[in-house]
Amino acid sequence: MPVLSDMKFPKEINTFCPHCKKHTLHTVSIYKKGRERASSWGARRQAGRKRGYGGQKYPELIRTAKTTKKATLRLKCKECNKEIMREGLRLRKAEIVE
Ligand SMILES: [Zn+2]
């Protein structure tokens, strides 16, 4: 997987759509993680682990070794309006340009 510093992406690209089975114009946006549910099973389990004496069960991450984050592109087909995701690239900064 390539490690690059900054990368600019065009607003629209012509690429293969697996639903239309041909190359179509796609609008490009960068994937962002949604808000986590407060009472999901993982959150409830973690809350149970943290209860009582000796709460935190594993060390909290203070300094991360990584200096980049994976930027996943969301491509929306202009013909069928379905979205596909591109495999994440490690980038310091991902931008959408004109
Ligand atoms: Zn399509």
Side-chain angles (χ1 to χ4, degrees):
M1 198 165 296
V3 179
L4 305 158
S5 58
D6 291 18
M7 210 166 149
K8 292 186 170 110
F9 297 97
K11 225 187 226 175
E12 289 179 337
I13 59 166
N14 193 40
T15 192
F16 184 78
C17 174
H19 306 284
C20 302
K21 295 187 171 76
K22 61 176 181 180
H23 273 64
T24 57
L25 207 59
H26 287 71
T27 51
V28 180
S29 57
I30 293 161
Y31 165 81
K32 282 201 176 107
K33 194 178 172 183
R35 196 172 63 86
E36 283 177 28
R37 288 179 298 130
S39 57
S40 67
W41 171 226
R44 280 179 284 147
R45 181 168 49 208
Q46 177 64 354
R49 280 174 179 160
K50 287 188 85 164
R51 277 183 68 216
Y53 179 72
Q56 184 67 22
K57 297 295 180 194
Y58 48 84
E60 283 180 45
L61 195 64
I62 297 167
R63 282 183 301 273
T64 53
K66 305 257 188 301
T67 58
T68 55
K69 283 182 177 176
K70 280 188 183 179
T72 304
L73 293 185
R74 278 171 58 184
L75 305 172
K76 191 174 183 183
C77 176
K78 284 206 157 181
E79 285 188 25
C80 64
N81 280 325
K82 286 189 176 160
E83 283 190 352
I84 51 169
M85 302 273 204
R86 273 287 154 84
E87 193 185 347
L89 303 168
R90 287 217 160 261
L91 296 174
R92 266 182 235 280
K93 196 173 146 195
E95 265 185 294
I96 303 279
V97 291
E98 296 299 301

